[in-house]
Amino acid sequence: MQLKLSASKSIFTSLTLIAPFFLWGTAMVAMKTVIPHTTPFFMAGLRLLPAGVLILIAAAFLGKPQPRGWLAWLWIILFALVDGALFQGFLAQGLVRTSAGLGSVMIDSQPLAVALLSLWLFEEHIGLWGWLGLVLGVLGISLIGLPDEWILHFFDGNVNASIGYWQDLFASGEWLMLLAAFSMAGGTVMIRFVCRYADPVTATGWHMILGGLPLWGISWVAESQQWENLVTSEWMALGYATVFGSAIAYGLFFYFASKGNLTSLSSLTFLTPVFALLFGNLFLSEVLSPLQWVGVGLTLISIYLINQRHNLGKKNNQVSVEDKPRQESSVLEASVHK
């Protein structure tokens, strides 16, 4: 009975860890039909501010303490600026100017930045298997999100065509998605410092509210017809992106980020485009190409390598220790025969 309970608990924990990335991926699919009929800053604010209120209500029911002291509020304000206003602002503007697939590739490359920052700030061990997993992950999401002709031209040796494609890419606004990725990476690392002075759940709620206010302010001044063209199904999609893709997903993600290994957790971000692609195929009849299926496979392998890097490193060390006496004995036997 105890083994069954521990096994079910392990499965529940794994599903909870994956949940934020599943919700982000499906929210991306939900937002595809909404983006052409609304404005970017209004949409970004709508994903933050109401979600932050929901998180604070949940935190109150859970008995979580409110932030106290100027250091707590200073870190929450910085957290709100980087991971709230900048991340959602760059993301919304980037989504308007690029496809969801390309945007997802740019956004979900942020585990590399998180790994480097975690190595520098917290001395998190990455190792050979971890770096290999990160490289495979970026390669995998590139195969998922980048157009097949770009990749085929690159492997065919048509360098001029590849350079032309990348010039068009950054001229159309994908650099905004890279800025969004760096902002999210900064927020992921910053939660460790925020949680020294505030509860991670309440800090997440307040950072979403404080980050959403300037976005709605910009929308009020610079945008028009933010909601006039939205129909009922699109409001439902926005509601899903707000409640599930923001409140629940960010609450879980930053709770885990405050507790566990940032490199391992951030590597699960590679799952986001996989979920977006699979559910886009299911609900929007988007067809996966052979290269995209290869990308899905590489992405799953990369996540395994990153999360099992310590065990794989230990196995290599054990093998090398076991082989060393054998090597010494073979050298001794050779010397005897001489």
Side-chain angles (χ1 to χ4, degrees):
M1 178 65 73
Q2 188 174 0
L3 288 175
K4 289 183 179 179
L5 288 174
S6 60
S8 61
K9 184 178 180 181
S10 176
I11 293 172
F12 176 76
T13 302
S14 300
L15 292 176
T16 308
L17 278 169
I18 295 172
F21 313 99
F22 170 83
L23 295 173
W24 284 333
T26 52
M28 183 76 74
V29 176
M31 299 301 292
K32 281 186 178 182
T33 57
V34 181
I35 291 169
H37 302 143
T38 185
T39 55
F41 286 113
F42 171 76
M43 183 179 65
L46 190 62
R47 287 201 64 185
L48 282 182
L49 206 150
V53 173
L54 291 175
I55 290 177
L56 289 183
I57 293 173
F61 277 107
L62 293 172
K64 300 293 184 180
Q66 290 295 317
R68 294 181 180 178
W70 67 272
L71 274 175
W73 284 107
L74 176 62
W75 274 110
I76 290 174
I77 290 171
L78 291 173
F79 187 33
L81 174 64
V82 174
D83 188 79
L86 291 179
F87 170 56
Q88 289 294 338
F90 287 138
L91 174 63
Q93 287 287 341
L95 282 175
V96 171
R97 304 184 190 186
T98 186
S99 68
L102 292 176
S104 186
V105 171
M106 298 299 176
I107 288 292
D108 298 321
S109 63
Q110 59 92 16
L112 279 174
V114 171
L116 291 172
L117 289 172
S118 299
L119 177 65
W120 176 46
L121 294 172
F122 308 120
E123 297 182 353
E124 286 191 359
H125 176 73
I126 299 174
L128 174 62
W129 293 107
W131 286 117
L132 178 61
L134 287 168
V135 172
L136 287 179
V138 173
L139 179 59
I141 62 171
S142 298
L143 293 178
I144 289 172
L146 296 177
D148 287 0
E149 60 268 20
W150 293 18
I151 300 168
L152 294 174
H153 276 302
F154 177 78
F155 285 106
D156 286 342
N158 194 340
V159 178
N160 292 329
S162 298
I163 293 174
Y165 281 130
W166 282 103
Q167 287 174 344
D168 294 339
L169 174 70
F170 282 92
S172 62
E174 273 71 9
W175 60 276
L176 292 170
M177 305 302 272
L178 279 178
L179 291 176
F182 290 137
S183 299
M184 184 179 180
T188 302
V189 173
M190 196 176 290
I191 190 65
R192 286 284 183 87
F193 297 98
V194 175
C195 292
R196 293 178 182 178
Y197 306 99
D199 178 80
V201 178
T202 54
T204 300
W206 279 114
H207 110 280
M208 296 179 83
I209 293 174
L210 296 176
L213 286 173
L215 294 173
W216 266 0
I218 295 172
S219 176
W220 180 268
V221 173
E223 297 177 339
S224 61
Q225 295 186 327
Q226 292 93 328
W227 58 81
E228 284 83 350
N229 298 320
L230 295 173
V231 298
T232 303
S233 61
E234 292 169 339
W235 279 111
M236 292 175 64
L238 283 171
Y240 178 83
T242 300
V243 176
F244 292 93
S246 290
I248 297 175
Y250 280 99
L252 289 172
F253 178 78
F254 284 117
Y255 173 78
F256 289 130
S258 67
K259 304 292 183 182
N261 185 283
L262 292 181
T263 302
S264 298
L265 177 66
S266 183
S267 71
L268 296 176
T269 306
F270 290 139
L271 285 174
T272 303
V274 174
F275 287 128
L277 197 68
L278 294 178
F279 279 85
N281 173 261
L282 183 63
F283 292 107
L284 303 178
S285 300
E286 296 178 347
V287 180
L288 279 68
S289 70
L291 280 176
Q292 287 176 320
W293 280 116
V294 173
V296 170
L298 288 177
T299 301
L300 297 177
I301 293 171
S302 75
I303 293 170
Y304 172 80
L305 290 177
I306 295 169
N307 284 276
Q308 295 296 320
R309 64 189 187 277
H310 298 298
N311 293 332
L312 292 171
K314 288 179 182 177
K315 288 180 180 178
N316 283 348
N317 290 335
Q318 289 175 356
V319 170
S320 62
V321 169
E322 291 174 358
D323 286 346
K324 188 175 180 181
R326 294 177 185 174
Q327 292 173 357
E328 290 177 351
S329 62
S330 63
V331 170
L332 180 60
E333 290 175 1
S335 63
V336 169
H337 285 300
K338 286 182 180 179

